[in-house]
Amino acid sequence: MPASRAGVPDEPEAGSDGHDGTAPVPNAGAGGIAGIPRRVTPPFIRVDSPTEARNPRTVEIDRLPTLEVLHLINDEDQQVARAVRAALPKVAAAVDLAVRALQEGRRIHYVGAGTSGRLAVLDAAELPPTFAVPHEWFVTHAAGGPAAFLRAIEGAEDDEEAGAREMIESVQAGDVVMGLAASGRTPYVVGALRASRARGAATVFVTANPAASLGTEVDVFVPVDTGPEVVAGSTRMKAGTAQKLVLNAFSTAVMVRIGRTYSNLMVDLMATNAKLRGRMLEILAEATGKDEHTCAQALREADGELKTALVAVLGQVSSERARSALRHAHGHVHVALAEVGRA
């Protein structure tokens, strides 16, 4: 199965026709909707995870007025950032693994199903335009493939062998593979992480289940204890929000550590439209304190390379000298400026 940029929901979804032996239910009762097929497919798996527990704070949610429902949801959301903060030492260890891997010419892989897969796709897709990284640096693998991004592919997350096969086809020794599974047991993710480790990749596991048994099998275990969801088992909520925070923090920290920012400015962005070209000019002006005309001229001389223009202006050197210094500094602006300052 090729690398993909899509995912499937955490819970299996009913099919849309009867071609697989499932017949539509004209008048479905509890648990079904008229016109939508319903299936019963053994075996049944009981998921032992805090995300599946019933939240005692929200048991009356279906009897409350709208604003109180929203207050309850927001109250639960307040817990997410604290849970992520408690896991930051583990996230830092994952960042260091990823930085080392990229510096050695390796890749970062995200693996997930459902909400986890979709969030991984979003994070990876936004890195190239923000930090000008090659698309192949961050690879996403999601249960069900691209077709499942907008519509569920039933059973995909339960296919441990599919996760393993995809890693065998894609992962190399020295890569970093980050698996995401709110419950801590998604077979597709479990298979992927085990196969990746067997191939010599470093493995990271992010989950909302601190007791997940897979945590003992990976190099970095990142448990983010968000507790029971507002609606039991709906891990697109707190657990999903926690994964979004972890992914954003992880990838942004990696970019900072490999020199893709100068201070807190995006100096490696790709100016692919008029808005971004304007932002590039604003960033150069902000970083150097120079007027717009001077910055525009510096960008022209640097062939539109913001970092090169930045080092040229701050270091008072030519674009060619600035570009050479950045190359020797592996893209770190501060290091390049120190080099031209010694010249």
Side-chain angles (χ1 to χ4, degrees):
M1 182 182 296
S4 64
R5 294 185 177 273
V8 299
D10 292 327
E11 305 86 11
E13 178 181 276
S16 58
D17 55 34
H19 294 237
D20 55 2
T22 302
V25 182
N27 294 294
I33 299 175
I36 297 180
R38 180 174 56 184
R39 73 166 81 235
V40 178
T41 306
F44 299 99
I45 301 296
R46 183 183 181 278
V47 178
D48 186 13
S49 170
T51 60
E52 304 299 310
R54 195 173 180 189
N55 192 327
R57 296 177 293 275
T58 62
V59 292
E60 300 293 331
I61 194 169
D62 62 333
R63 302 184 182 192
L64 298 176
T66 301
L67 184 56
E68 290 188 40
V69 169
L70 294 173
H71 278 154
L72 270 183
I73 294 171
N74 187 252
D75 287 344
E76 293 297 310
D77 287 342
Q78 303 303 312
Q79 302 176 32
V80 176
R82 291 192 294 270
V84 171
R85 187 175 187 85
L88 288 183
K90 298 296 187 179
V91 179
V95 168
D96 291 341
L97 283 177
V99 169
R100 189 178 311 120
L102 291 177
Q103 289 173 338
E104 294 174 354
R106 304 306 183 184
R107 301 190 297 174
I108 313 302
H109 301 258
Y110 289 159
V111 184
T115 296
S116 302
R118 289 188 176 97
L119 290 171
V121 168
L122 290 174
D123 192 74
E126 291 168 351
L127 295 177
T130 306
F131 298 106
V133 301
H135 287 278
E136 60 270 18
W137 277 17
F138 284 75
V139 184
T140 54
H141 309 266
F149 188 69
L150 296 177
R151 183 172 180 172
I153 305 296
E154 284 195 61
E157 70 175 56
D158 293 329
D159 195 340
E160 185 171 337
E161 291 184 2
R165 284 196 305 271
E166 189 159 342
M167 296 302 104
I168 290 170
E169 295 172 2
S170 180
V171 170
Q172 300 295 323
D175 287 355
V176 173
V177 179
M178 177 180 282
L180 302 108
S183 68
R185 61 155 300 277
T186 306
Y188 176 86
V189 177
V190 171
L193 286 172
R194 286 174 175 165
S196 297
R197 195 168 195 194
R199 291 184 64 78
T203 52
V204 179
F205 185 39
V206 181
T207 179
N209 184 359
S213 60
L214 188 63
T216 62
E217 300 182 37
V218 296
D219 296 290
V220 181
F221 180 43
V222 188
V224 186
D225 191 2
T226 51
E229 296 288 358
V230 170
V231 175
S234 182
T235 53
R236 69 186 185 89
M237 301 188 76
K238 290 194 297 181
T241 300
Q243 289 180 347
K244 169 71 169 169
L245 291 177
V246 169
L247 285 167
N248 281 174
F250 167 79
S251 59
T252 301
V254 170
M255 294 297 102
V256 171
R257 289 287 315 283
I258 65 173
R260 296 282 162 161
T261 65
Y262 172 67
S263 180
N264 60 353
L265 300 173
M266 293 189 298
V267 292
D268 254 315
L269 83 165
M270 295 174 61
T272 55
N273 57 42
K275 180 188 74 173
L276 292 177
R277 286 190 289 273
R279 180 179 295 171
M280 183 180 284
L281 191 60
E282 291 173 3
I283 289 172
L284 187 57
E286 177 72 23
T288 62
K290 300 297 183 181
D291 61 78
E292 185 174 308
H293 175 76
T294 300
C295 291
Q297 179 62 29
L299 281 169
R300 283 193 291 270
E301 292 175 357
D303 297 324
E305 298 170 1
L306 177 54
K307 264 188 175 177
T308 300
L310 178 59
V311 173
V313 172
L314 291 178
Q316 298 182 349
V317 296
S318 68
S319 293
E320 290 75 13
R321 179 73 182 92
R323 190 175 290 113
S324 175
L326 280 166
R327 186 166 54 251
H328 293 153
H330 302 289
H332 290 265
V333 172
H334 283 294
V335 178
L337 286 171
E339 178 178 321
V340 300
R342 289 195 300 267

